[in-house]
């Protein structure tokens, strides 16, 4: 049986029928229908079941105030827990009924989710009469103001759109829409629900786009002024068995008639506490529902509304209440009978309206408080409290203005406040149908000693369902207040939190997925090295190793690294060092700054020289290291570790601007402007000489820690004689656009010497043999330069440097601090594991705790001699060289001998080649 | 259509609201989990029952009501592992101790490693945990894939899963049940529970604190135990003490109720994902901490967006779940991300604060340790390393390396 | 969304900025002269009020200026802004 009326329906397009599937059964609908209206039209009242009770549940509302009609979408990849009252139908939509819990579809979400940003002077939330009046006023009175109207419906007008075109509201709506369309600076976003008001004029909104490529969009809206014209949510009334299919909110029932041409019942009882319920009764009667009785809790009723009911032959019962309902025995459990204080009625619709709750959620998000208003019989914004962020104004019904619709102004009777803590059988009075929470639960909470609305919510789960209490929340507060014997305004509501309606994780992720979930940074020579396996270093992708081809296929990590290490130690290797952080420091006071931020002295550095430096935080712990070259009297180039570049630059900027603004310094990141290729190994000089034969690269002419400007392979370059491997090495810095050309030229010039590209792993092996720590690997924020054995890099002559005072504290001078040491396996062959903890040799590993003396920070299967070695932080380690300890990994000990941190070329002879 | 099972019922009676008396042997300021647990153990373990817990709002309505309920003890440093493991052991018998359900579920906590540096740190921590007698394992990506089938352990994600640490005895509990359980048990032993009683100042005499001024009148006290999380700094300020604390917004969120997909707690510090599926079926997720000081219990929305992007990257199946509700707590963070437990510079005043994001899991542990410290008027051995003077000596317990956001 | 008024660029989302904590905490002129306690106070103790707070912000993703803002830590209202962040 169809309950679709033959005429009317402002939101449906009868020329565009669609077919949807519900629990495997086809249901005919029209474009513009929601799932709820389509099912009501098909006389299909059952939409869900109670999560614990399994009780059948239908549609109660017409929008976001509905508290139980949530369905599982099966089509389009599927989606759990979608509100049937706001989900618009489309061909092929398939849904399934659920019992309070959704199901995550397992296939990938391939939908496109876009996030859009808009800016305007004014945002008006809600396109009803109050909102449109505000929008027109804002646009007409403040010339040039951009006004954005956001409305959750498919058409503007709110309640006025559901009133006859020739009503005063209908005429005003037409006039407002005409004026809006003539205002260039006004934009309208329909089907757009503002989900959060995040303060300082920021709104987040969800746009539904039934015809769009992206079905939904997320909007970030930034404005100076937010006008909240969010209207009201219809409030239910309670009684025993108030959750049956066929029990609906009265205005919602009438809206199904006017919007979707659906008659929600053949015979109805209407029960109301305010005029809107009476209007709904008239509309239902005029649409063809036999309204057998209208019950009003109020004492008196006079004027045109009463006359309208009487004129239609409808009995109006004052001071009357519903006490319970009966339902069918079949699966649908639909309403069959209503028990009231004035008799029992056999009906299939009970339309109830307990009042109108101003929709204050968005007002509350940034901290707005509400107060109870007896005139409105609802919580209204308590505006404006001093000291609150003042970019929000609330207008219309949301502000408690009962006069918004002009047609109703003359006849308005005050609403009644009715909560009924004594309603029926408490186990059958549902206060959150979605969570199956009842009046009995609320009473149990009270009996357990709870009085705060927040405690009661948590005890009962009332208000935690998918509608977040929009349906029953205020009603439950009213009942609690009666139970407690306190005024409702004193009890108050729970806090409203974003989002106003649910937002999918995928939509919030937007385009920031896969490759775009975090920016990928690659060096300027990436396309020359991209065949190598990459190591993630922060956002950077760095070549980890360069596997060669063998008879068995590609080399594994260990074999490749062994070959790369051998090449650098005995011949020549090349490495992309472009990801090193590079900071250009300019000005006459750079030396002063460097002396303050490095532990060692820099101001004395001569032009043409490079110096290694260690940086500590004010707490004395190592935060970074690197080299700085003096380019000219007033220009210096600092390098930082790859991961710390931004932090070091920011820190320098902070110290300069906030503590020493008088210093003449300008800081610029040039990481991306310079590409760097390191050429390292005893044959590196031959390679550089081949690239720049006109230069004298001899150790005498170009010493260790010198730099010079020289064309390399015809490319203007800065060549630095610095070494992170201990071998003779040259760092070639060129402007980025020459990066690939330089890489190719080095490879070509090195080919006769067997030049071998190497990655981060080999770099780590090479430096570890030299005992050079990696900040962040061999340090962890608790390590001083002294702990690293770098006292030589800590000035004893400077008056102060960053961290100096902290290093003077007793704890920083304890002899048993953890020092950087080397380790070798006692058997000479077993591999030491990074992260292994160091314990006494032979310690009992079955009785806990086992005292730990340190841990392995870096470990490699083979150094230059092919033997495993490691670096570690060890309590008092510098005094323990030669001692045997156990390095324990997964409770398996490995005997290791403590060595000094340097295991290769201790006297530094190899750096000159 | 599948009908779900209800959670167990609460006890028929939880606690009554007491009126403040003129004086108490111990006044605990802060009626959150820590304050309630402290009061309970003062009464239970030390026989000190003339105790008031003062709460400025509704009981356990601060971080206790707002956290993501993760319980674990697999911290790096001995000092941290000591107090958290003490707590985890108390969790394991807490239902019997309090004679109420707290829904403690030892479903295991997984901490993911996404790069070589994470992996090194993870192995170091597992080894330290094992040698401290904790249950800890290092799992490779395949093992993690078996444990959590919905987690994408392929190399597809932007930050692929390389492995992770796993503590099987770790898990979650139902926060309200815990707080209410402590309140009920403490009150049964004689402790007064006083809600809507905000401390506005203190009375002191020489080296002693003699009383508190509250919105419900002055209360004299024998000993003072501050346990007010994000508000500790403000309260200590009223005593003229400046604590090394910054209070920041920390956000969390829940989804709608969903059929079970995740029976392990998964944490990824690198991409700020902390997720479990609670008993009723909602996904509970913690987000990152806002950098600025904030007491508004509101966080920045971009933090939520970034977290969702990271979550969907790791758990593609989450894309169609919905955020039902977001909220924020106020976490008090110290410079070394470890708590402060011990004496304030008064003979009879003690503080327990600075737990940052780690407070919930410590509830029973620090409750007992702090109660012992207050009762015996000297630091409990597990509390001693967390004394305020470590910031002067420099002997910090730096858990930043282990987890910048510790949850 | 917290919005920070950069004195140079105007009001922008807080995501463009780095937070710098309490303003007006000067680096000691002679750290060596301080006791360990005084030095610890400089290192670790910062204002953390519930209410108005004069704090430093850095327009990291903008003009790179450090500046001072007076913000209410409960409501996030901003009432004064000034260049210079000493």
């Amino acid at each position: 049986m169809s309950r679709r009326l033959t005429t009317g329906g402002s939101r449906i397009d009868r020329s565009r029928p669609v077919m949807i599937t519900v629990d495997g059964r086809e249901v005919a609908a029209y474009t513009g229908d929601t799932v709820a209206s389509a099912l009501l039209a098909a006389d299909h009242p059952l939409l869900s079941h109670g999560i614990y009770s399994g009780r059948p549940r239908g549609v109660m509302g017409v929008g976001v105030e509905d508290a139980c009609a949530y369905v599982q979408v099966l089509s389009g990849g599927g989606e759990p827990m979608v509100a049937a009252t706001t989900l618009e139908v489309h061909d092929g939509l398939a849904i399934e009924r659920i019992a309070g819990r959704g199901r995550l579809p397992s296939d990938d979400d391939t939908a496109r989710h876009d996030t859009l940003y808009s800016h305007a002077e004014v945002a008006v939330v809600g396109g009803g009469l109050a909102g449109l009046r505000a929008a027109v006023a804002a646009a007409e009175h403040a010339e040039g103001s951009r006004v954005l109207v956001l409305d959750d419906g498919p058409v503007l007008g709110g309640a006025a759109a559901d009133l006859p075109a020739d009503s005063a509201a209908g005429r005003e709506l037409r006039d407002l829409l005409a004026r809006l369309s003539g205002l260039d600076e006004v934009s309208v976003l329909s089907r757009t629900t503002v989900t959060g008001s995040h303060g300082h004029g920021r709104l987040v909104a969800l746009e539904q786009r039934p015809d769009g490529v992206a079905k939904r969009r997320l909007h970030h809206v930034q404005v100076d002024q937010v006008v909240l014209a969010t209207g009201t949510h219809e409030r239910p009334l309670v009684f025993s068995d108030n959750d049956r299919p066929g029990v609906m909110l009265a205005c919602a029932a009438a809206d199904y008639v006017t919007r979707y041409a659906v008659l929600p019942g053949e015979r109805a009882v209407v029960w109301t506490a305010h005029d809107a319920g009476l209007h709904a009764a008239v509309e239902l009667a005029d649409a063809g529902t036999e309204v057998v009785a209208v019950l009003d809790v109020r004492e008196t009723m006079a004027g045109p509304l009463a006359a309208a009911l009487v004129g239609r032959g409808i009995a109006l019962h004052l001071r009357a209440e519903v006490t319970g309902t009966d339902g069918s025995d079949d699966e649908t459990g639909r309403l069959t009978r209503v028990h009231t204080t004035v008799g029992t009625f056999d009906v299939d619709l009970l339309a109830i309206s307990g009042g109108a709750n101003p929709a204050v959620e968005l007002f509350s998000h940034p901290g707005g408080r509400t107060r109870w208003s007896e005139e409105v019989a609802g919580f209204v914004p308590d505006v404006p409290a001093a000291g609150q962020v003042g970019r929000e104004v609330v207008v219309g019904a949301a502000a408690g203005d009962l006069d918004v619709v002009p047609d109703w102004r003359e006849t308005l009777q005050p609403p009644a406040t009715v909560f009924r803590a004594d309603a029926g059988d408490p186990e059958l009075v549902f206060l959150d149908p979605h969570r199956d929470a009842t009046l009995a639960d609320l009473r149990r909470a009270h009996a357990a000693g709870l009085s705060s609305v927040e405690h009661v919510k948590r005890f009962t789960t009332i208000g935690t369902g998918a509608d977040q209490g929009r349906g029953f929340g205020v009603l439950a507060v009213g009942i609690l207040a009666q139970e407690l014997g306190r005024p409702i305004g004193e009890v108050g509501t729970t806090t409203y939190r974003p989002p106003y309606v649910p937002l999918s994780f995928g939509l919030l992720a937007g385009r920031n997925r896969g490759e775009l979930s975090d920016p990928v940074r690659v060096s300027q020579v990436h396309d020359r090295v991209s065949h190598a396996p990459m190591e993630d270093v922060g956002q950077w992708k760095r070549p980890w190793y360069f596997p060669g081809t063998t008879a068995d296929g590609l080399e594994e990590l260990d074999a490749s690294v062994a070959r790369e290490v051998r090449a650098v130690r005995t011949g020549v290797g090349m490495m992309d060092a472009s990801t090193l952080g590079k900071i250009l420091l300019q000005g006459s006071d750079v030396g002063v700054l460097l002396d303050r931020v490095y532990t060692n002295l820099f101001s004395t550095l001569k032009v043409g020289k490079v110096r290694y430096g260690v940086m500590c935080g004010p707490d004395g712990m190592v935060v970074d290291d690197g080299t700085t070259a003096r380019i000219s009297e007033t220009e210096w180039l600092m390098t930082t570790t790859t991961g710390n570049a931004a932090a070091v630059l920011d820190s320098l900027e902070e110290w300069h601007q906030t503590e020493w603004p008088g210093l003449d310094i300008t800081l610029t990141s040039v990481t991306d402007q310079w590409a760097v290729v390191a050429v390292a190994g005893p044959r590196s000089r031959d390679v550089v000489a081949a690239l720049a034969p006109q230069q004298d690269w001899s150790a005498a002419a170009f010493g260790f820690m010198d730099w010079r400007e020289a064309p390399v392979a015809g490319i203007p370059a800065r060549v630095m004689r610095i070494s992170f491997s201990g071998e003779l090495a040259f760092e070639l810095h060129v402007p980025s656009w020459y990066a690939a050309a330089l890489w190719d030229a080095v490879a070509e010039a090195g080919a006769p010497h067997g030049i071998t590209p190497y990655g981060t792993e080999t770099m780590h092996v090479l430096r570890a043999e030299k005992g050079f720590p990696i900040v962040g690997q061999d340090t962890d924020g608790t390590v001083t330069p002294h702990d690293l054995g770098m006292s030589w890099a800590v000035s004893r002559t400077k008056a102060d440097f960053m961290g100096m005072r902290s290093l003077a504290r007793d704890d920083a001078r304890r002899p048993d601090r953890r020092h950087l040491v080397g380790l070798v396996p006692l058997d000479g062959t077993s591999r030491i594991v990074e992260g292994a903890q160091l314990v006494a040799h032979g310690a009992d590993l079955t009785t806990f705790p086992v005292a730990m003396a340190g841990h392995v920070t870096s470990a490699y299967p083979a150094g230059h001699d092919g033997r495993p070695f490691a670096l570690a932080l060890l309590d008092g380690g510098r005094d323990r060289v030669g001692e045997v300890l156990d390095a324990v990994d997964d409770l398996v000990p490995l005997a290791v001998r403590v060595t000094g941190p340097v295991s290769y070329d201790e006297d530094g002879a190899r750096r000159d080649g | 259509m599948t009908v779900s099972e209800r959670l167990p019922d609460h006890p028929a009676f939880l606690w009554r609201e007491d009126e403040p008396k003129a004086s108490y042997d111990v006044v605990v300021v802060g009626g959150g989990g820590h304050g309630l647990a402290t009061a309970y153990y003062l009464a239970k373990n030390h026989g000190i029952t003339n105790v008031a817990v003062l709460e400025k709002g509704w009981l356990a309505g601060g971080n206790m009501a707002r956290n993501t309920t993760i319980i674990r003890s697999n911290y790096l440093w001995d000092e941290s592992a000591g107090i958290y493991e003490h707590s985890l052991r108390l969790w394991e018998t807490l239902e019997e101790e309090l004679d109420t359900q707290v829904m403690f579920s030892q479903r295991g906590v997984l901490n993911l490693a996404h790069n070589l540096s994470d992996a090194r740190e993870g192995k170091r921590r597992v080894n330290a945990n094992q040698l401290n007698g904790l249950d800890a394992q290092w799992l490779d990506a395949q093992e993690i894939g078996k444990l959590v089938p919905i987690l994408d352990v392929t190399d597809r994600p932007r930050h692929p899963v390389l492995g992770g640490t796993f503590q099987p005895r770790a898990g979650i509990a139902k926060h309200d049940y815990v707080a209410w359980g402590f309140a009920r048990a403490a009150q049964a032993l004689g402790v007064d529970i006083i809600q809507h009683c905000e401390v506005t100042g203190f009375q002191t005499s020489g080296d002693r604190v003699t009383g508190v001024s509250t919105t419900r009148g002055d209360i004299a006290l024998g000993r003072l135990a501050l346990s007010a999380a994000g508000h500790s700094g403000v309260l200590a300020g009223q005593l003229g003490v400046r604590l090394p604390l910054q209070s920041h917004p920390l956000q969390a969120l829940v989804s709608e109720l969903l059929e079970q997909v995740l029976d392990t707690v998964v944490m990824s510090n690198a991409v700020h994902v902390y997720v479990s599926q609670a008993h009723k079926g909602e996904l509970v997720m913690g987000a990152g901490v806002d950098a600025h000081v904030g007491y508004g219990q509101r966080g920045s929305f971009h933090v939520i967006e970034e977290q969702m992007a990271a979550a969907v990257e790791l758990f593609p199946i989450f894309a169609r779940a919905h955020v039902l509700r977001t909220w924020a707590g106020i976490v008090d963070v110290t410079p070394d991300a470890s708590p402060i437990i011990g004496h304030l510079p008064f003979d009879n005043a003690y503080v327990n604060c600075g737990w940052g994001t780690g407070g919930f899991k410590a509830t029973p542990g620090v409750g007992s340790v702090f109660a012992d410290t207050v009762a015996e008027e000297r630091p409990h051995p597990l509390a001693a390393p967390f004394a305020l003077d470590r910031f002067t000596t420099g002997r910090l317990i730096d858990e930043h390396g282990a987890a910048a956001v510790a949850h | 969304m917290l919005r920070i008024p950069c004195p140079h660029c105007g009001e922008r989302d807080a995501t463009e900025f780095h937070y710098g904590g309490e303003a007006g905490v000067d680096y000691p002129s002679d750290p060596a002269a301080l006791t360990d306690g005084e030095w610890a106070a400089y290192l670790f103790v910062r204002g953390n009020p519930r209410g108005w707070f004069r704090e430093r912000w850095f327009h990291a993703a903008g003009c790179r200026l450090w500046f001072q803002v007076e913000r209410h830590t409960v409501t996030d209202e901003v009432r004064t802004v000034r260049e210079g962040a000493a």
Side-chain angles (χ1 to χ4, degrees), chain B residues 290-311:
Chain B
D290 278 24
H292 58 273
V293 169
Y295 288 87
Q297 294 184 331
R298 287 183 303 277
S300 303
F301 193 68
H302 73 93
V303 173
I304 300 286
E305 290 180 300
E306 287 163 11
Q307 192 207 3
M308 291 297 97

Side-chain angles (χ1 to χ4, degrees), chain A residues 198 202 654 657 800 805, chain C residues 1 13 27 56 64 66:
Chain A
H198 296 276
R202 175 61 60 93
E654 177 175 355
Q657 285 192 36
D800 190 26
R805 177 63 186 80
Chain C
M1 171 62 77
D13 285 358
Y27 186 78
R56 309 182 309 156
R64 309 282 293 171
W66 276 96

Side-chain angles (χ1 to χ4, degrees), chain A residues 117 119 198-202 220 222-224 366 387-389 391 618-619 646 649-650 653-655 657-660 799-803 805-806 808-810, chain C residues 1-4 11 13 18 20 25-28 31-37 39-40 42-44 56 58 60 64-67 72 75-78 85-86:
Chain A
Y117 294 82
H119 296 258
H198 296 276
H200 287 199
R202 175 61 60 93
H220 280 244
Q222 180 63 46
V223 295
D224 298 330
Q388 287 190 344
V389 181
R391 296 203 206 186
D619 63 356
L649 177 64
D650 286 359
E653 197 70 76
E654 177 175 355
W655 286 111
Q657 285 192 36
T658 68
E659 291 294 343
W660 310 307
D800 190 26
F801 59 82
M802 205 55 61
R805 177 63 186 80
S806 290
R809 292 179 300 185
D810 288 345
Chain C
M1 171 62 77
L2 180 57
R3 302 266 291 173
I4 300 298
E11 185 185 278
D13 285 358
H18 285 182
V25 182
D26 291 338
Y27 186 78
L34 302 184
T35 64
D36 282 356
W39 177 245
Y42 164 72
L43 275 185
F44 297 127
R56 309 182 309 156
F58 173 48
R64 309 282 293 171
L65 185 73
W66 276 96
F67 57 95
H72 196 282
T75 66
D76 280 341
E77 187 186 347
V78 172

Side-chain angles (χ1 to χ4, degrees), chain B residues 121-263:
Chain B
E121 182 279 322
K123 286 182 184 164
R124 174 189 179 191
R125 190 158 47 77
V126 162
N127 286 322
N129 293 161
Q130 289 177 345
L131 292 168
N132 271 321
L134 277 58
D135 57 323
Q137 302 165 21
W138 173 259
L139 303 182
D140 64 24
Q142 282 66 41
E143 291 168 317
I144 287 172
K146 281 193 201 116
L147 189 68
V148 187
I150 61 168
L151 184 63
D152 187 345
V153 295
T154 68
D155 58 6
R156 187 205 57 83
R158 169 69 181 84
H159 295 286
V161 174
L162 300 189
T165 69
F166 185 56
Q167 185 177 28
R169 288 164 59 240
I172 58 172
K174 193 91 174 70
H175 47 15
D176 295 326
Y177 288 52
V178 177
W180 300 350
F182 272 115
R184 175 170 165 265
Q187 198 171 54
L189 293 171
V191 171
D192 277 3
I193 291 176
I194 301 159
Q195 293 189 106
H196 307 293
C197 179
E198 182 168 0
V199 170
T200 54
F202 296 91
Q203 290 91 46
T204 59
S205 170
D207 291 333
R208 296 185 68 79
V209 180
T210 56
V212 287
S213 302
T214 78
T215 49
R216 297 176 68 176
D218 289 355
I219 301 170
L221 56 83
R223 289 170 223 170
L224 173 68
L226 285 186
S227 192
H231 299 283
S232 301
V234 173
L235 287 166
Q238 291 168 355
L239 278 168
V241 180
R242 280 167 60 94
L243 293 175
L245 284 180
Q246 297 274 278
S247 297
H248 300 281
L250 169 69
Q251 295 183 85
L253 60 92
V254 287
S255 75
E256 69 269 73
L257 305 189
L258 296 164
E259 289 179 15
Q260 197 69 29
V261 291
L262 180 66
D263 56 9

Side-chain angles (χ1 to χ4, degrees), chain A residues 206-552:
Chain A
L206 167 68
E207 182 189 8
Q208 304 281 357
R209 305 172 73 244
D211 300 322
V213 176
K215 296 293 177 202
R216 287 171 198 161
R217 283 173 171 167
L218 192 71
H219 289 266
H220 280 244
V221 177
Q222 180 63 46
V223 295
D224 298 330
Q225 177 75 58
V226 176
V227 180
L228 295 174
T230 44
T232 61
H233 297 140
E234 195 173 12
R235 186 164 70 223
L237 294 158
V238 286
F239 41 89
S240 292
D241 293 303
N242 62 325
D243 61 332
R244 290 188 189 286
V247 176
M248 289 182 77
L249 292 164
C251 298
D255 285 346
Y256 278 105
V257 172
T258 52
R259 295 178 187 175
Y260 306 105
V262 171
L263 201 60
E266 299 284 319
R267 276 168 64 83
V269 167
V270 177
W271 181 28
T272 186
H274 65 147
D275 284 4
L278 301 178
H279 285 291
V282 171
E283 286 180 53
L284 286 169
D286 289 351
T289 297
E290 185 191 347
V291 179
V292 296
V294 172
L295 282 61
D296 195 314
V297 299
R298 291 175 289 185
E299 304 278 323
T300 59
M301 174 57 55
L305 260 177
L309 291 171
V310 172
R312 286 166 176 78
I314 302 171
L316 173 62
H317 305 273
L318 296 175
R319 296 184 298 276
E321 298 190 346
V322 172
T323 55
T325 68
D326 296 336
S328 64
D329 295 332
D330 63 7
E331 179 223 31
T332 66
R334 68 193 300 169
L335 180 75
T336 57
R337 184 170 295 155
V338 175
H339 303 284
T340 78
T341 52
V342 295
T344 294
F345 302 93
D346 290 337
V347 294
D348 62 354
L349 174 66
L350 171 56
I352 52 174
S353 198
N357 294 322
V360 295
E361 286 87 348
L362 295 176
F363 170 75
S364 301
H365 286 176
R369 307 211 172 258
T370 61
R371 62 177 174 83
W372 178 259
S373 159
E374 270 304 322
E375 305 93 80
V376 177
F379 284 99
V380 296
D382 190 9
V383 283
Q388 287 190 344
V389 181
R391 296 203 206 186
E392 299 198 335
V393 61
V394 191
V395 300
D401 178 1
L402 300 174
D403 281 350
V404 177
V405 176
D407 306 76
W408 297 348
R409 242 172 233 159
E410 301 300 313
T411 64
L412 190 71
Q413 304 272 324
T417 300
V418 54
F419 295 120
R420 299 190 81 231
D422 55 350
D425 178 350
E427 298 285 356
L428 296 175
V429 173
F430 287 86
L431 296 179
D432 190 329
H434 193 250
R435 290 280 157 105
D436 261 346
T438 64
L439 177 55
D441 292 322
L442 185 141
R443 287 188 181 164
R444 275 191 281 272
H446 181 211
L450 302 182
S451 59
S452 157
V453 66
E454 297 281 0
H455 285 143
V456 172
K457 168 187 165 179
R458 287 157 178 275
F459 185 101
T460 62
T461 73
I462 292 169
T464 65
D467 69 308
Q468 287 287 292
R470 284 187 294 276
F472 284 76
V474 173
L475 175 64
V477 171
I479 292 175
L480 176 64
Q482 289 186 359
E483 286 275 328
L484 297 170
R486 287 163 55 194
I488 181 171
E490 204 180 280
V491 174
T493 64
T494 57
T495 311
Y496 299 106
R497 300 280 186 189
Y500 174 63
V501 295
L503 292 171
S504 81
F505 286 22
L507 179 66
L508 291 171
R511 296 290 189 96
N512 299 327
R513 294 171 67 174
E515 283 281 281
L516 299 180
S517 71
D518 192 23
V520 174
R521 297 185 75 183
V522 295
S523 94
Q524 302 89 327
V525 297
H526 183 71
D527 62 348
R528 293 296 193 275
V529 297
S530 58
H531 57 284
M534 293 285 154
E535 179 185 357
D536 283 321
V537 182
Q539 292 175 332
W540 289 99
K541 296 272 183 197
R542 300 195 68 187
W544 189 13
Y545 59 101
F546 288 85
T549 318
T550 69
D552 304 327

